[in-house]
Amino acid sequence: MSGTETTGIRTASRAEYCVVACAEAWRDAGEILASPMGTVPAIGARLARLTFSPELLLTDGEALMMADTPAVGVKPGSIEGWLPFRQHLALTATGRRHVMMGASQIDRYGNQNISCIGDWARPTRQLLGVRGAPVNTLNNPTSYWVPKHSSRVFVEHVDMVSGVGYDRAAEAGPSATRYHRIPEVVSNLGVFDFETPDRTMRLRSLHPGVSLEQVIEATGFALTVPDEVPFTREPTEAELRLIREVIDPKGLREREVPA
């Protein structure tokens, strides 16, 4: 297959399949706060709000609740509320939020690292730091977006645990597992989840133009692979119009996921 697939008389790019896959994380989410981190997740959250999740709450990236759904990078035209940092933390602690974070490393159980590469005592690279990842993963649904799928990101063991995976949550007991959930991981190659008996990563779908061998080669651990792996669903004509003309008319998505 080529890097694009036909949708009616138009074609969808790999980036647009990624946008749709991210949007699906918030399908029928109800009135919760979406916190997308990254260009493609931000477009996906807006697409979800304009289609199948109209009650989704979005911010301008700082402290304003947007009543409308502007294009990425454009200031909202209408404000419906103020969400200062302390209130944002309250939403996180009560589970009324679904964040899609990035991951410098992620392992088979969903442990995520955004803190450092190498040994903690003497890291070879300093990253963002743990930030709010532990609270996110233990209190509200947390998905991940990886724009460049490789064995350097999908690793056997993360160098430091920032976001808590299923194995560590289980070790910590009911207080950790009660609200812990990782709905999906979206990369530029496919969509993954943890719907397996041992809660290890499973390949849910391949983006069109991607082979199973390509995903296996780019993953540093053994994935669970179903007998039949579907392709990520293609965007509808209406969704393509929203992505291209309303949400991301500047084509920023194509910079994050080049064709």
Side-chain angles (χ1 to χ4, degrees), residues 15-138:
E16 289 162 343
Y17 277 97
C18 292
V19 166
V20 166
C22 289
E24 286 290 343
W26 290 287
R27 178 177 283 276
D28 302 323
E31 195 176 48
I32 68 164
L33 179 67
S35 292
M37 301 181 185
T39 300
V40 166
I43 298 167
R46 284 164 167 78
L47 180 64
R49 187 182 192 183
L50 289 172
T51 53
F52 43 71
S53 296
E55 295 181 337
L56 204 61
L57 302 177
L58 295 173
T59 73
D60 65 346
E62 295 186 9
L64 298 178
M65 303 291 295
M66 302 190 300
D68 58 354
T69 309
V72 172
V74 176
K75 292 183 178 180
S78 180
I79 302 299
E80 64 179 352
W82 181 51
L83 190 68
F85 190 63
R86 61 181 180 276
Q87 189 59 37
H88 199 130
L89 291 177
L91 279 175
T92 299
T94 54
R96 294 174 292 169
R97 176 179 182 248
H98 184 164
V99 59
M100 183 170 284
M101 299 180 66
S104 300
Q105 293 178 325
I106 189 167
D107 68 20
R108 69 175 73 238
Y109 291 100
N111 294 295
Q112 170 248 32
N113 175 25
I114 52 171
S115 184
C116 66
I117 301 298
D119 183 79
W120 168 253
R122 196 177 181 84
T124 58
R125 182 171 298 178
Q126 179 66 52
L127 306 175
L128 290 172
V130 174
R131 307 295 289 268
V135 176
N136 288 341
T137 47
L138 295 184

Side-chain angles (χ1 to χ4, degrees), residues 133-154:
V135 176
N136 288 341
T137 47
L138 295 184
N139 289 280
N140 53 229
T142 302
S143 293
Y144 294 106
W145 160 242
V146 180
K148 295 181 179 179
H149 191 131
S150 76
S151 57
R152 295 178 62 183
V153 179
F154 288 75

Side-chain angles (χ1 to χ4, degrees), residues 98-235:
H98 184 164
V99 59
M100 183 170 284
M101 299 180 66
S104 300
Q105 293 178 325
I106 189 167
D107 68 20
R108 69 175 73 238
Y109 291 100
N111 294 295
Q112 170 248 32
N113 175 25
I114 52 171
S115 184
C116 66
I117 301 298
D119 183 79
W120 168 253
R122 196 177 181 84
T124 58
R125 182 171 298 178
Q126 179 66 52
L127 306 175
L128 290 172
V130 174
R131 307 295 289 268
V135 176
N136 288 341
T137 47
L138 295 184
N139 289 280
N140 53 229
T142 302
S143 293
Y144 294 106
W145 160 242
V146 180
K148 295 181 179 179
H149 191 131
S150 76
S151 57
R152 295 178 62 183
V153 179
F154 288 75
V155 296
E156 185 69 41
H157 301 288
V158 298
D159 291 340
M160 179 184 175
V161 175
S162 302
V164 179
Y166 280 100
D167 57 340
R168 288 179 176 269
E171 290 174 8
S175 62
T177 59
R178 185 176 180 184
Y179 300 114
H180 178 267
R181 187 163 70 90
I182 307 173
E184 65 181 43
V185 177
V186 180
S187 82
N188 63 315
L189 300 184
V191 182
F192 309 82
D193 61 26
F194 300 88
E195 300 301 319
T196 57
D198 59 355
R199 289 299 196 178
T200 54
M201 193 180 293
R202 177 186 73 159
L203 176 59
R204 184 196 295 176
S205 70
L206 291 167
H207 300 325
V210 178
S211 69
L212 175 59
E213 292 72 23
Q214 187 178 353
V215 171
I216 291 174
E217 184 178 351
T219 304
F221 52 83
L223 283 165
T224 296
V225 180
D227 293 336
E228 296 291 333
V229 182
F231 284 118
T232 304
R233 81 160 177 89
E234 59 184 292

